Amino acid sequence: MSPLLDIIRTAIHHHGPMDIGTYMNMCLGHPQHGYYMTRDPLGAAGDFTTAPEVSQMFGEMVGLWVAHTWLQFGSPLNIILLECGPGRGTLMNDILRSTKNIPELTQAINIHFLETSPVLRGIQKETVGENVTWHDTLETLPDHAPLFVIANEFLDALPVRQAIHDGTSWKERLIGLDDQDNLCFVSGPAVPYGDMPWGRKDEIFEFSPARDFFVSNIAQRLKMQTGAALFVDYGHAKTAKGDTFQAIRHHQFCSVLDVPGEADLTSHVDFEQIARRAEQDGIAATNIITQSSFLKNMGIDLRLEQLSSKATAEQKQNLQTGYDRLTDKKAMGELFKAIALCHDKIHALAGFS
Ligand code: SAH
């Protein structure tokens, strides 16, 4: 039996059913047994594969976005380039490689990683080098220079909570124990959080104070430091009802309650809420577009052509497969969305106009 399951059971015995956000936090972030604390989950041998791991072209397009935005801001001599949840460091590596031909930008970049996993920090050190400052939270991030934020598949890992409609009102969906002491969903007290949509019996609505808090924090920093943030993740462009809380293990969906700490737990990101939150803090949000549109607007077709022209037949095939996975509607192209935030409305950010 997993040691984390025991810890969660004991917590429920002592304090009563826990909200899904608390459960997610324990499963992903428990210092000894949390999913991200104990392993490298990425790649074929792990549990899931992300866009930067699929093809170098993803990071190259993000690199172009950083370069373009930096130019728009008047090429500041010093910037803080923060990546949130950098995984294996592949995205940052591709960004740095693809911007190497602009030495003033390379000079200006100070790399900062927001990363809680000691295992992934170790891999990031190998990929990107020692010239990085790691942070557990945003609190320690310096604020003396313009801020550029990159986050791919980070927001989906921040805890989400759920409300379930009982026919009269929204009640929080909690995790409790059944007669056999197994984890199960139970209904809790009324949900006090924010504006809830109109609902019908048994409908589920997700909300994420953790994501709201994070976006708000970034927005306030952009306002103070100036700068821009780019978020790519799976999710919906319009706030919607529905249960998207999911567990993935060895590239397959499994039950969210089955193996606490052994599966990746995520939920779809409500991008409209990200925009709303940023705007509440006086920060401009771009329109929400698909990953496919973002990559195509940034020039991925041209890049594919360019790389293919110098490639062997096998490399060409790999490039095409990567391109298809990133942009195809049946793969990551449509489910994944992109949004950017900027301190200043007058900047039409690359990829979004
Ligand atoms: N961006 C990478 C990895 C995505 S996996 C890629 O695209 O390949 C999620 C990443 O977020 C991991 O690096 C994980 O350790 C990190 N992470 C998850 N929750 C976090 C939290 N609360 N604070 C900081 N990092 C977190």
Side-chain angles (χ1 to χ4, degrees):
M1 191 207 299
S2 97
L4 193 57
L5 181 57
D6 261 352
I7 294 169
I8 291 170
R9 261 198 198 119
T10 307
I12 297 175
H13 279 303
H14 285 172
H15 308 291
M18 64 172 66
D19 69 75
I20 292 174
T22 304
Y23 175 75
M24 230 174 131
N25 231 347
M26 287 179 87
C27 290
L28 298 179
H30 187 279
Q32 280 92 47
H33 310 294
Y35 177 77
Y36 278 115
M37 298 300 145
T38 53
R39 75 199 72 217
D40 168 15
L42 290 146
D47 292 314
F48 57 91
T49 304
T50 57
E53 303 295 331
V54 165
S55 168
Q56 69 181 72
M57 291 184 287
F58 182 83
E60 289 170 348
M61 293 305 111
V62 176
L64 257 178
W65 184 87
V66 170
H68 188 273
T69 309
W70 173 76
L71 283 168
Q72 274 181 319
F73 289 175
S75 317
L77 292 176
N78 244 313
I79 63 165
I80 293 161
L81 179 57
L82 169 71
E83 186 178 352
C84 306
R88 286 180 171 168
T90 310
L91 174 56
M92 184 57 79
N93 212 28
D94 288 336
I95 292 173
L96 296 175
R97 185 175 42 75
S98 62
T99 53
K100 235 181 16 208
N101 54 355
I102 317 172
E104 297 84 353
L105 173 56
T106 306
Q107 276 263 306
I109 289 177
N110 300 281
I111 307 169
H112 291 261
F113 281 167
L114 180 67
E115 177 61 73
T116 41
S117 161
V119 181
L120 290 173
R121 278 188 184 200
I123 300 175
Q124 289 154 17
K125 203 169 279 177
E126 278 169 33
T127 317
V128 183
E130 305 267 342
N131 224 346
V132 174
T133 312
W134 278 269
H135 304 268
D136 279 316
T137 70
L138 288 176
E139 273 159 56
T140 47
L141 189 72
D143 57 10
H144 62 275
L147 176 64
F148 285 62
V149 183
I150 303 295
N152 183 64
E153 288 206 38
F154 170 74
L155 294 173
D156 67 77
L158 298 183
V160 71
R161 286 163 60 183
Q162 288 186 336
I164 184 158
H165 206 278
D166 66 3
T168 312
S169 64
W170 291 105
K171 298 288 176 347
E172 181 139 17
R173 196 168 183 232
L174 302 172
I175 295 171
L177 295 165
D178 66 13
D179 300 343
Q180 275 91 48
D181 228 20
N182 293 318
L183 298 180
C184 68
F185 286 107
V186 297
S187 184
V191 177
Y193 192 75
D195 293 331
M196 303 296 282
W198 184 82
R200 277 205 193 94
K201 190 167 168 30
D202 295 332
E203 278 186 324
I204 286 176
F205 182 70
E206 294 177 337
F207 57 103
S208 175
R211 261 175 224 157
D212 288 350
F213 180 74
F214 178 80
V215 171
S216 201
N217 207 324
I218 293 288
Q220 283 164 25
R221 278 180 171 271
L222 291 179
K223 212 159 145 186
M224 186 172 63
Q225 293 172 242
T226 74
L230 173 68
F231 295 100
V232 182
D233 222 307
Y234 43 94
H236 31 278
K238 288 258 167 259
T239 299
K241 287 173 282 187
D243 177 10
T244 73
F245 183 37
Q246 63 184 36
I248 298 237
R249 197 181 187 200
H250 308 318
H251 300 268
Q252 307 226 305
F253 288 107
C254 61
S255 155
V256 289
L257 301 182
D258 257 5
V259 275
E262 299 292 320
D264 185 32
L265 296 180
T266 64
S267 77
H268 287 199
V269 174
D270 177 354
F271 277 82
E272 194 181 11
Q273 174 67 6
I274 304 293
R276 218 180 275 133
R277 202 63 199 204
E279 281 159 1
Q280 276 169 11
D281 282 300
I283 283 297
T286 61
N287 44 342
I288 297 153
I289 60 176
T290 63
Q291 172 169 301
S292 170
S293 299
F294 174 72
L295 295 174
K296 287 183 183 184
N297 294 345
M298 290 310 303
I300 194 171
D301 291 79
L302 248 168
R303 184 62 182 148
L304 173 68
E305 231 173 81
Q306 208 178 38
L307 288 168
S308 300
S309 69
K310 290 173 277 178
T312 64
E314 192 193 339
Q315 287 168 333
K316 251 185 215 155
Q317 186 54 50
N318 286 340
L319 284 163
Q320 187 63 48
T321 310
Y323 173 91
D324 292 343
R325 278 182 74 181
L326 292 178
T327 59
D328 201 297
K329 317 203 238 277
K330 288 190 223 81
M332 305 173 92
E334 232 173 67
L335 174 61
F336 283 72
K337 311 285 190 302
I339 192 173
L341 312 178
C342 181
H343 72 277
D344 185 348
K345 272 200 211 11
I346 59 170
H347 293 295
L349 295 175
F352 291 90
S353 34

